[in-house]
Amino acid sequence: MTRFRILPLASALLVALAACQPASAPDNAHTAPSASRPAGQVDSQFEIFSKRYLDKAMELSPVWATQVGDHRFDGRIDDLSKGGISRALEHSKKFLAELEAIDVAGLSRENQIDAAILRNQLRYDIWANETLQGWAWDPQVYNSIAGGALYGLMSREFAPMPERLKSATARMQQIPALFTQMRTNLDPARVPRIHAETVARQNAGLISIVDSLVLPNADQLQGEDRKKLDLAVETLRKAVTEHQAWLEDVLVPNAKGEFRIGEALYDQKLAFALNSPLSRQEIRTRVEADITRTREEMYDIARGVLAERPGAPAEMPDAPSPEQQQAVIEAALELAYADRPARDEVVELATRSTEEATAFVREKGLVTVPDTPVKIILMPEFQRGVAVAYCDPPGPLDKGLDTFYAVSPIPDDWSQDQVDSFLREYNTRSIHELSIHEAMPGHFLQLAHANKYPSTLRAVLYSGPFVEGWAMYAEKIMADAGYMDNDPLMQLINRKWNLRAMANALLDQAIHVDGMTRDEAMQLMTVTTFQQEREAAGKWVRAQLTSAQLPTYYVGYSEHLDLRQAWEAKQGEAFDLKAYHDQVLSYGSPPVRFVRQLMLDQPID
């Protein structure tokens, strides 16, 4: 997954760690017109409007501004007081009214898309603030801002260290007030217990950022600046300790909220988050059919793997019963699970597999490869507990900086059984699959292309389904190109990862709308889609903490496949795979339906 960035204040209220990456716009960072068509009067009007929107959004969400590469507000953090929340809502309503008054039909096709994306985002922001009200029940909102405030400053060298340390000092001085806002706004009766427990575990991670990223560089400040930093650190340590006591003694024991958001809220949120023509019901229908088809493919591969092997299941008929199919696939997967890294070698393997995948993409000429490398790192502590890995690119205004492929280490307090379960799921071949998804030719490559698109607005309001769908499609690119032709166990793991994405989409709606229980969820994950207990248990937690994000992988993947099929049909024998991939990636990261409309010359809706 990508580590979605903190949104402007209203959008930050949706969910922690699930957002886009906007930019407050320096003069050269405006929404661009078509590369092939000069801006008309309406286009110029829209460009001025979108720049004003971004400027105001950055002012309201300084942490977001830092992440996207606008560093005018690096010494400030978001205001999540009741007044700050009201100002964010007023901002969204004001700009939505202005947008509705623009003659969108008079815009270039590219700006029509940007206007549609912004309209969806503004409506999403208003809905999130007024209807979903995450600020009143989701403590992750505040936790992500506190952690992101410091991590965004210290993780990348966008400015000299002394300058970043001064900004970090100013933000550390303000974080205790954010804790106060959190304690004031949250209604424990509405806070789900799983949210409270997760934030209570993550809270200390804020100090780990200070200890690992701030203090090792503190000697670069002298005199009064160093004194201010030391005092800010001391004050923050006390505030984190006091906040931890409140989390453990007040919030967790009194957290009585329902984590399932229900059918009405879910369908509304899904429509905003996906910006896709696929409905919840259509997603379920597609998923169920694809699960059946993929399991059939896995059975055929597994039979070939197990043929004449000692200990293979006695019966492997052409038309197996569900029990026979399950037994044969599981037996073949056990062979893949046996090849796994040591618990301290996961990051090393991620690095090596990324290098191998990059070499293969270059050799086969599948897509243009960016010159900049991806950097594999340990996931920061305050981000752990939601996913095992993510891709964290620099903001579109930060040029020449590293993209991180962050891998979560195995927790020190896990038992050996838990470690074994984790490494069975993230075996050697699965780490290769993960590196394809997160790095090459997945998230890292796609986002490197996207950051070249001249529209800052489109870059900061990028589509989760496009991004996640491309990463899943990247796995298919590699499989189709022969990356795993000589390794049927790799082919099996590839299908298993496809099943994971399918399960994600089904799981999300089944939990939040249909009331799926933990036992039912574990059955879907560990039996139907062959996930290990540790992976499934973690996904159960993630599905409780988030909503409408887990479907983005499968929905985007389905739309990418539909687009390619339509383009191949149009091009016929002239179809060129690399040219197709480069063209798809040249539009930034808008919802896939807009790329389809551009490429097939359809009206922009």
Side-chain angles (χ1 to χ4, degrees):
M1 64 179 287
T2 54
R3 187 176 75 82
F4 291 110
R5 302 176 184 279
I6 297 168
L7 290 159
L9 183 55
S11 300
L13 305 175
L14 295 173
V15 286
L17 307 180
C20 303
Q21 41 176 3
S24 153
D27 290 341
N28 63 346
H30 56 79
T31 299
S34 167
S36 59
R37 170 182 169 183
Q41 183 177 356
V42 182
D43 283 300
S44 297
Q45 178 188 2
F46 177 73
E47 291 159 23
I48 294 169
F49 164 77
S50 62
K51 183 181 183 301
R52 284 195 299 108
Y53 162 77
L54 290 171
D55 279 339
K56 189 62 178 179
M58 293 307 98
E59 180 185 340
L60 289 171
S61 186
V63 175
W64 185 10
T66 297
Q67 291 178 334
V68 83
D70 178 1
H71 299 291
R72 293 176 295 165
F73 310 104
D74 282 356
R76 293 165 46 186
I77 67 171
D78 302 36
D79 178 7
L80 281 161
S81 67
K82 292 294 176 61
I85 292 169
S86 296
R87 283 189 291 275
L89 178 60
E90 180 184 356
H91 159 258
S92 297
K93 288 183 174 180
K94 173 180 178 293
F95 279 94
L96 179 60
E98 288 191 44
L99 179 60
E100 298 289 9
I102 293 176
D103 177 19
V104 174
L107 294 173
S108 67
R109 285 169 61 80
E110 290 80 3
N111 277 341
Q112 286 179 26
I113 290 172
D114 282 5
I117 292 169
L118 179 55
R119 183 183 302 108
N120 182 76
Q121 186 64 55
L122 288 167
R123 290 174 176 171
Y124 196 4
D125 292 345
I126 294 166
W127 175 85
N129 195 316
E130 293 186 320
T131 304
L132 189 62
Q133 296 185 338
W135 52 266
W137 60 266
D138 189 355
Q140 296 178 102
V141 169
Y142 305 86
N143 194 55
S144 67
I145 291 175
L150 299 182
Y151 186 71
L153 290 173
M154 304 307 299
S155 60
R156 287 189 171 89
E157 297 180 4
F158 59 82
M161 179 59 71
E163 182 180 329
R164 290 185 285 140
L165 287 171
K166 290 176 186 178
S167 297
T169 298
R171 284 187 169 176
M172 286 189 287
Q173 292 169 340
Q174 297 167 65
I175 289 174
L178 179 67
F179 290 159
T180 300
Q181 293 166 2
M182 174 179 176
R183 296 192 289 265
T184 299
N185 292 345
L186 289 180
D187 177 1
R190 296 179 64 185
V191 176
R193 189 175 183 89
I194 184 66
H195 291 66
E197 291 174 341
T198 298
V199 168
R201 287 193 302 270
Q202 293 177 335
N203 183 55
L206 186 60
I207 297 302
S208 75
I209 299 175
V210 174
D211 290 339
S212 62
L213 297 179
V214 176
L215 289 181
N217 298 292
D219 287 344
Q220 297 193 39
L221 290 183
Q222 305 296 325
E224 285 300 314
D225 289 333
R226 176 59 190 268
K227 291 179 181 178
K228 288 179 182 179
L229 185 146
D230 289 341
L231 179 58
V233 169
E234 180 182 353
T235 301
L236 182 59
R237 287 189 193 278
K238 292 179 181 178
V240 169
T241 300
E242 292 172 359
H243 194 56
Q244 188 70 37
W246 178 82
L247 290 169
E248 294 176 354
D249 299 340
V250 178
L251 187 63
V252 172
N254 294 290
K256 309 296 183 184
E258 173 57 64
F259 69 84
R260 306 176 198 273
I261 67 173
E263 180 176 359
L265 289 177
Y266 184 86
D267 284 346
Q268 292 166 13
K269 185 175 182 180
L270 191 72
F272 285 125
L274 298 183
N275 203 353
S276 164
L278 295 179
S279 67
R280 169 167 56 91
Q281 294 77 11
E282 289 170 323
I283 293 168
R284 176 184 284 273
T285 298
R286 287 196 180 201
V287 166
E288 290 175 343
D290 277 348
I291 286 176
T292 298
R293 176 188 54 77
T294 303
R295 284 178 57 99
E296 290 172 352
E297 290 180 2
M298 292 178 74
Y299 178 75
D300 289 340
I301 295 169
R303 280 205 304 170
V305 167
L306 296 172
E308 302 180 2
R309 279 184 181 261
E315 297 184 17
M316 296 190 291
D318 291 341
S321 67
E323 293 77 15
Q324 290 171 327
Q325 184 189 66
Q326 188 75 21
V328 169
I329 296 173
E330 287 181 347
L333 284 172
E334 285 296 329
L335 301 175
Y337 299 157
D339 182 8
R340 54 184 187 258
R343 66 181 295 163
D344 60 349
E345 293 177 353
V346 174
V347 174
E348 178 186 344
L349 178 57
T351 301
R352 186 170 68 252
S353 58
T354 299
E355 293 170 350
E356 292 174 5
T358 302
F360 183 85
V361 172
R362 290 186 188 277
E363 176 190 350
K364 297 295 184 179
L366 301 178
V367 59
T368 298
V369 176
D371 294 329
T372 54
V374 63
K375 186 175 182 179
I376 290 85
I377 64 168
L378 287 176
M379 187 182 297
E381 185 176 347
F382 84 101
Q383 299 281 18
R384 298 172 193 172
V386 178
V388 72
Y390 59 71
C391 179
D392 181 14
L397 300 184
D398 272 331
K399 304 302 182 184
L401 299 182
D402 290 330
T403 291
F404 299 139
Y405 167 15
V407 181
S408 180
I410 297 174
D412 292 336
D413 60 354
W414 275 13
S415 68
Q416 189 58 48
D417 286 345
Q418 290 174 316
V419 172
D420 289 344
S421 175
F422 178 87
L423 290 176
R424 281 164 60 83
E425 183 71 18
Y426 290 94
N427 54 76
T428 298
R429 290 175 176 84
S430 286
I431 295 296
H432 275 268
E433 194 78 11
L434 184 67
S435 295
I436 291 170
H437 181 100
E438 299 293 345
M440 181 60 65
H443 287 318
F444 162 63
L445 179 140
Q446 185 267 312
L447 292 170
H449 279 265
N451 278 348
K452 296 178 181 178
Y453 189 79
S455 167
T456 299
L457 186 72
R458 190 178 300 184
V460 303
L461 299 180
Y462 71 75
S463 163
F466 184 100
V467 172
E468 296 294 357
W470 171 270
M472 188 176 171
Y473 171 72
E475 299 168 35
K476 176 177 172 56
I477 294 173
M478 297 292 274
D480 289 349
Y483 188 69
M484 48 198 76
D485 277 0
N486 298 321
D487 188 352
L489 290 179
M490 186 69 189
Q491 297 171 22
L492 203 62
I493 290 296
N494 169 258
R495 269 66 170 187
K496 173 181 164 171
W497 274 62
N498 287 347
L499 281 181
R500 279 174 40 145
M502 297 167 196
N504 284 350
L506 191 57
L507 189 72
D508 195 62
Q509 61 174 265
I511 287 174
H512 286 283
V513 176
D514 303 325
M516 174 181 272
T517 66
R518 186 183 191 280
D519 287 346
E520 291 168 338
M522 294 297 284
Q523 174 76 12
L524 170 65
M525 289 184 282
T526 62
V527 178
T528 306
T529 59
F530 305 102
Q531 298 173 50
Q532 295 299 302
E533 187 276 337
R534 278 294 85 195
E535 171 66 18
K539 191 66 62 65
W540 166 251
V541 171
R542 179 177 170 186
Q544 295 173 83
L545 292 171
T546 66
S547 54
Q549 194 278 324
L550 284 172
T552 59
Y553 307 88
Y554 176 80
V555 170
Y557 175 67
S558 294
E559 291 185 292
H560 274 292
L561 290 182
D562 290 347
L563 171 58
R564 176 168 162 182
Q565 183 178 19
W567 187 249
E568 284 192 78
K570 179 178 180 179
Q571 293 291 102
E573 293 183 359
F575 175 78
D576 180 275
L577 185 64
K578 181 179 181 182
Y580 167 74
H581 289 154
D582 286 350
Q583 184 171 350
V584 168
L585 297 181
S586 71
Y587 301 108
S589 306
V592 180
R593 66 188 180 95
F594 292 136
V595 177
R596 183 188 184 98
Q597 289 162 6
L598 284 172
M599 293 182 66
L600 300 180
D601 199 25
Q602 298 171 344
I604 306 299
D605 59 23

PDB file of all heavy atoms in Angstrom, residues 180-201:
ATOM      1  N   THR A 180      -4.633  18.257  23.920  1.00  0.00           N
ATOM      2  CA  THR A 180      -5.759  18.857  24.634  1.00  0.00           C
ATOM      3  C   THR A 180      -6.996  18.905  23.741  1.00  0.00           C
ATOM      4  O   THR A 180      -8.119  18.608  24.186  1.00  0.00           O
ATOM      5  CB  THR A 180      -5.389  20.274  25.114  1.00  0.00           C
ATOM      6  OG1 THR A 180      -4.270  20.200  26.001  1.00  0.00           O
ATOM      7  CG2 THR A 180      -6.560  20.919  25.844  1.00  0.00           C
ATOM      8  N   GLN A 181      -6.807  19.278  22.467  1.00  0.00           N
ATOM      9  CA  GLN A 181      -7.924  19.299  21.523  1.00  0.00           C
ATOM     10  C   GLN A 181      -8.520  17.903  21.361  1.00  0.00           C
ATOM     11  O   GLN A 181      -9.745  17.740  21.298  1.00  0.00           O
ATOM     12  CB  GLN A 181      -7.445  19.848  20.177  1.00  0.00           C
ATOM     13  CG  GLN A 181      -7.054  21.310  20.218  1.00  0.00           C
ATOM     14  CD  GLN A 181      -6.266  21.748  18.997  1.00  0.00           C
ATOM     15  OE1 GLN A 181      -6.025  20.953  18.077  1.00  0.00           O
ATOM     16  NE2 GLN A 181      -5.852  23.006  18.974  1.00  0.00           N
ATOM     17  N   MET A 182      -7.667  16.908  21.310  1.00  0.00           N
ATOM     18  CA  MET A 182      -8.128  15.531  21.177  1.00  0.00           C
ATOM     19  C   MET A 182      -8.973  15.127  22.380  1.00  0.00           C
ATOM     20  O   MET A 182     -10.072  14.568  22.232  1.00  0.00           O
ATOM     21  CB  MET A 182      -6.921  14.597  21.045  1.00  0.00           C
ATOM     22  CG  MET A 182      -7.235  13.112  21.031  1.00  0.00           C
ATOM     23  SD  MET A 182      -5.684  12.171  20.831  1.00  0.00           S
ATOM     24  CE  MET A 182      -6.277  10.484  20.964  1.00  0.00           C
ATOM     25  N   ARG A 183      -8.498  15.448  23.565  1.00  0.00           N
ATOM     26  CA  ARG A 183      -9.238  15.069  24.778  1.00  0.00           C
ATOM     27  C   ARG A 183     -10.547  15.840  24.898  1.00  0.00           C
ATOM     28  O   ARG A 183     -11.528  15.333  25.445  1.00  0.00           O
ATOM     29  CB  ARG A 183      -8.354  15.285  26.011  1.00  0.00           C
ATOM     30  CG  ARG A 183      -7.126  14.384  26.033  1.00  0.00           C
ATOM     31  CD  ARG A 183      -6.433  14.395  27.386  1.00  0.00           C
ATOM     32  NE  ARG A 183      -5.745  15.646  27.674  1.00  0.00           N
ATOM     33  CZ  ARG A 183      -4.461  15.866  27.448  1.00  0.00           C
ATOM     34  NH1 ARG A 183      -3.715  14.924  26.868  1.00  0.00           N
ATOM     35  NH2 ARG A 183      -3.906  17.019  27.770  1.00  0.00           N
ATOM     36  N   THR A 184     -10.564  17.059  24.363  1.00  0.00           N
ATOM     37  CA  THR A 184     -11.785  17.868  24.398  1.00  0.00           C
ATOM     38  C   THR A 184     -12.815  17.373  23.393  1.00  0.00           C
ATOM     39  O   THR A 184     -14.012  17.303  23.689  1.00  0.00           O
ATOM     40  CB  THR A 184     -11.448  19.348  24.104  1.00  0.00           C
ATOM     41  OG1 THR A 184     -10.546  19.831  25.099  1.00  0.00           O
ATOM     42  CG2 THR A 184     -12.704  20.206  24.116  1.00  0.00           C
ATOM     43  N   ASN A 185     -12.367  17.040  22.204  1.00  0.00           N
ATOM     44  CA  ASN A 185     -13.289  16.713  21.111  1.00  0.00           C
ATOM     45  C   ASN A 185     -13.850  15.300  21.163  1.00  0.00           C
ATOM     46  O   ASN A 185     -14.990  15.061  20.755  1.00  0.00           O
ATOM     47  CB  ASN A 185     -12.587  16.909  19.763  1.00  0.00           C
ATOM     48  CG  ASN A 185     -12.269  18.356  19.462  1.00  0.00           C
ATOM     49  OD1 ASN A 185     -12.792  19.266  20.091  1.00  0.00           O
ATOM     50  ND2 ASN A 185     -11.400  18.583  18.485  1.00  0.00           N
ATOM     51  N   LEU A 186     -13.025  14.352  21.611  1.00  0.00           N
ATOM     52  CA  LEU A 186     -13.458  12.957  21.554  1.00  0.00           C
ATOM     53  C   LEU A 186     -14.532  12.669  22.597  1.00  0.00           C
ATOM     54  O   LEU A 186     -14.416  13.046  23.761  1.00  0.00           O
ATOM     55  CB  LEU A 186     -12.275  12.019  21.774  1.00  0.00           C
ATOM     56  CG  LEU A 186     -11.237  11.931  20.654  1.00  0.00           C
ATOM     57  CD1 LEU A 186     -10.129  10.948  21.045  1.00  0.00           C
ATOM     58  CD2 LEU A 186     -11.870  11.497  19.336  1.00  0.00           C
ATOM     59  N   ASP A 187     -15.536  11.978  22.150  1.00  0.00           N
ATOM     60  CA  ASP A 187     -16.587  11.479  23.044  1.00  0.00           C
ATOM     61  C   ASP A 187     -16.326   9.993  23.238  1.00  0.00           C
ATOM     62  O   ASP A 187     -16.573   9.202  22.319  1.00  0.00           O
ATOM     63  CB  ASP A 187     -17.952  11.706  22.415  1.00  0.00           C
ATOM     64  CG  ASP A 187     -19.095  11.139  23.255  1.00  0.00           C
ATOM     65  OD1 ASP A 187     -18.816  10.581  24.340  1.00  0.00           O
ATOM     66  OD2 ASP A 187     -20.251  11.243  22.806  1.00  0.00           O
ATOM     67  N   PRO A 188     -15.788   9.589  24.416  1.00  0.00           N
ATOM     68  CA  PRO A 188     -15.445   8.165  24.599  1.00  0.00           C
ATOM     69  C   PRO A 188     -16.584   7.222  24.267  1.00  0.00           C
ATOM     70  O   PRO A 188     -16.350   6.098  23.803  1.00  0.00           O
ATOM     71  CB  PRO A 188     -15.045   8.096  26.074  1.00  0.00           C
ATOM     72  CG  PRO A 188     -14.548   9.467  26.389  1.00  0.00           C
ATOM     73  CD  PRO A 188     -15.429  10.392  25.593  1.00  0.00           C
ATOM     74  N   ALA A 189     -17.816   7.660  24.469  1.00  0.00           N
ATOM     75  CA  ALA A 189     -18.958   6.788  24.173  1.00  0.00           C
ATOM     76  C   ALA A 189     -19.064   6.494  22.681  1.00  0.00           C
ATOM     77  O   ALA A 189     -19.690   5.500  22.284  1.00  0.00           O
ATOM     78  CB  ALA A 189     -20.252   7.429  24.666  1.00  0.00           C
ATOM     79  N   ARG A 190     -18.439   7.329  21.836  1.00  0.00           N
ATOM     80  CA  ARG A 190     -18.473   7.124  20.386  1.00  0.00           C
ATOM     81  C   ARG A 190     -17.189   6.498  19.861  1.00  0.00           C
ATOM     82  O   ARG A 190     -17.125   6.091  18.697  1.00  0.00           O
ATOM     83  CB  ARG A 190     -18.717   8.454  19.669  1.00  0.00           C
ATOM     84  CG  ARG A 190     -20.061   9.092  19.953  1.00  0.00           C
ATOM     85  CD  ARG A 190     -20.205  10.418  19.219  1.00  0.00           C
ATOM     86  NE  ARG A 190     -20.197  10.247  17.770  1.00  0.00           N
ATOM     87  CZ  ARG A 190     -20.212  11.257  16.900  1.00  0.00           C
ATOM     88  NH1 ARG A 190     -20.232  12.505  17.340  1.00  0.00           N
ATOM     89  NH2 ARG A 190     -20.200  11.031  15.598  1.00  0.00           N
ATOM     90  N   VAL A 191     -16.136   6.457  20.676  1.00  0.00           N
ATOM     91  CA  VAL A 191     -14.841   5.947  20.229  1.00  0.00           C
ATOM     92  C   VAL A 191     -14.848   4.418  20.274  1.00  0.00           C
ATOM     93  O   VAL A 191     -15.070   3.828  21.323  1.00  0.00           O
ATOM     94  CB  VAL A 191     -13.697   6.479  21.113  1.00  0.00           C
ATOM     95  CG1 VAL A 191     -12.364   5.853  20.700  1.00  0.00           C
ATOM     96  CG2 VAL A 191     -13.616   7.999  21.031  1.00  0.00           C
ATOM     97  N   PRO A 192     -14.607   3.744  19.157  1.00  0.00           N
ATOM     98  CA  PRO A 192     -14.506   2.281  19.192  1.00  0.00           C
ATOM     99  C   PRO A 192     -13.294   1.863  20.028  1.00  0.00           C
ATOM    100  O   PRO A 192     -12.245   2.507  19.984  1.00  0.00           O
ATOM    101  CB  PRO A 192     -14.327   1.897  17.723  1.00  0.00           C
ATOM    102  CG  PRO A 192     -14.845   3.070  16.950  1.00  0.00           C
ATOM    103  CD  PRO A 192     -14.508   4.266  17.780  1.00  0.00           C
ATOM    104  N   ARG A 193     -13.439   0.789  20.755  1.00  0.00           N
ATOM    105  CA  ARG A 193     -12.349   0.350  21.625  1.00  0.00           C
ATOM    106  C   ARG A 193     -11.089   0.027  20.827  1.00  0.00           C
ATOM    107  O   ARG A 193      -9.970   0.323  21.270  1.00  0.00           O
ATOM    108  CB  ARG A 193     -12.777  -0.878  22.436  1.00  0.00           C
ATOM    109  CG  ARG A 193     -11.763  -1.249  23.526  1.00  0.00           C
ATOM    110  CD  ARG A 193     -12.253  -2.398  24.395  1.00  0.00           C
ATOM    111  NE  ARG A 193     -11.307  -2.680  25.455  1.00  0.00           N
ATOM    112  CZ  ARG A 193     -11.307  -2.119  26.647  1.00  0.00           C
ATOM    113  NH1 ARG A 193     -12.231  -1.201  26.931  1.00  0.00           N
ATOM    114  NH2 ARG A 193     -10.418  -2.435  27.559  1.00  0.00           N
ATOM    115  N   ILE A 194     -11.234  -0.568  19.645  1.00  0.00           N
ATOM    116  CA  ILE A 194     -10.061  -0.926  18.852  1.00  0.00           C
ATOM    117  C   ILE A 194      -9.286   0.319  18.456  1.00  0.00           C
ATOM    118  O   ILE A 194      -8.060   0.317  18.398  1.00  0.00           O
ATOM    119  CB  ILE A 194     -10.480  -1.744  17.595  1.00  0.00           C
ATOM    120  CG1 ILE A 194      -9.247  -2.209  16.816  1.00  0.00           C
ATOM    121  CG2 ILE A 194     -11.405  -0.946  16.700  1.00  0.00           C
ATOM    122  CD1 ILE A 194      -8.396  -3.191  17.552  1.00  0.00           C
ATOM    123  N   HIS A 195      -9.974   1.432  18.200  1.00  0.00           N
ATOM    124  CA  HIS A 195      -9.299   2.687  17.872  1.00  0.00           C
ATOM    125  C   HIS A 195      -8.544   3.221  19.084  1.00  0.00           C
ATOM    126  O   HIS A 195      -7.398   3.672  18.968  1.00  0.00           O
ATOM    127  CB  HIS A 195     -10.319   3.728  17.397  1.00  0.00           C
ATOM    128  CG  HIS A 195     -10.933   3.424  16.069  1.00  0.00           C
ATOM    129  ND1 HIS A 195     -11.765   2.336  15.862  1.00  0.00           N
ATOM    130  CD2 HIS A 195     -10.860   4.070  14.866  1.00  0.00           C
ATOM    131  CE1 HIS A 195     -12.161   2.325  14.600  1.00  0.00           C
ATOM    132  NE2 HIS A 195     -11.628   3.361  13.976  1.00  0.00           N
ATOM    133  N   ALA A 196      -9.191   3.166  20.232  1.00  0.00           N
ATOM    134  CA  ALA A 196      -8.551   3.652  21.454  1.00  0.00           C
ATOM    135  C   ALA A 196      -7.318   2.824  21.791  1.00  0.00           C
ATOM    136  O   ALA A 196      -6.255   3.362  22.133  1.00  0.00           O
ATOM    137  CB  ALA A 196      -9.548   3.622  22.611  1.00  0.00           C
ATOM    138  N   GLU A 197      -7.420   1.515  21.699  1.00  0.00           N
ATOM    139  CA  GLU A 197      -6.294   0.636  22.029  1.00  0.00           C
ATOM    140  C   GLU A 197      -5.137   0.829  21.054  1.00  0.00           C
ATOM    141  O   GLU A 197      -3.967   0.815  21.453  1.00  0.00           O
ATOM    142  CB  GLU A 197      -6.763  -0.818  22.025  1.00  0.00           C
ATOM    143  CG  GLU A 197      -7.701  -1.149  23.171  1.00  0.00           C
ATOM    144  CD  GLU A 197      -8.268  -2.559  23.079  1.00  0.00           C
ATOM    145  OE1 GLU A 197      -8.229  -3.148  21.965  1.00  0.00           O
ATOM    146  OE2 GLU A 197      -8.756  -3.077  24.105  1.00  0.00           O
ATOM    147  N   THR A 198      -5.450   1.005  19.773  1.00  0.00           N
ATOM    148  CA  THR A 198      -4.389   1.181  18.775  1.00  0.00           C
ATOM    149  C   THR A 198      -3.619   2.470  19.017  1.00  0.00           C
ATOM    150  O   THR A 198      -2.379   2.485  18.997  1.00  0.00           O
ATOM    151  CB  THR A 198      -4.990   1.181  17.359  1.00  0.00           C
ATOM    152  OG1 THR A 198      -5.611  -0.091  17.110  1.00  0.00           O
ATOM    153  CG2 THR A 198      -3.913   1.421  16.311  1.00  0.00           C
ATOM    154  N   VAL A 199      -4.326   3.554  19.270  1.00  0.00           N
ATOM    155  CA  VAL A 199      -3.648   4.826  19.506  1.00  0.00           C
ATOM    156  C   VAL A 199      -2.872   4.789  20.820  1.00  0.00           C
ATOM    157  O   VAL A 199      -1.786   5.370  20.923  1.00  0.00           O
ATOM    158  CB  VAL A 199      -4.669   5.979  19.480  1.00  0.00           C
ATOM    159  CG1 VAL A 199      -4.053   7.274  19.998  1.00  0.00           C
ATOM    160  CG2 VAL A 199      -5.182   6.186  18.055  1.00  0.00           C
ATOM    161  N   ALA A 200      -3.391   4.085  21.805  1.00  0.00           N
ATOM    162  CA  ALA A 200      -2.652   3.949  23.073  1.00  0.00           C
ATOM    163  C   ALA A 200      -1.324   3.222  22.851  1.00  0.00           C
ATOM    164  O   ALA A 200      -0.314   3.548  23.485  1.00  0.00           O
ATOM    165  CB  ALA A 200      -3.502   3.214  24.097  1.00  0.00           C
ATOM    166  N   ARG A 201      -1.312   2.248  21.933  1.00  0.00           N
ATOM    167  CA  ARG A 201      -0.065   1.541  21.624  1.00  0.00           C
ATOM    168  C   ARG A 201       0.892   2.413  20.817  1.00  0.00           C
ATOM    169  O   ARG A 201       2.106   2.317  20.954  1.00  0.00           O
ATOM    170  CB  ARG A 201      -0.359   0.252  20.849  1.00  0.00           C
ATOM    171  CG  ARG A 201      -0.959  -0.862  21.680  1.00  0.00           C
ATOM    172  CD  ARG A 201      -0.909  -2.181  20.926  1.00  0.00           C
ATOM    173  NE  ARG A 201      -1.601  -2.122  19.652  1.00  0.00           N
ATOM    174  CZ  ARG A 201      -2.890  -2.404  19.476  1.00  0.00           C
ATOM    175  NH1 ARG A 201      -3.626  -2.741  20.529  1.00  0.00           N
ATOM    176  NH2 ARG A 201      -3.441  -2.348  18.284  1.00  0.00           N
TER     177      ARG A 201
END
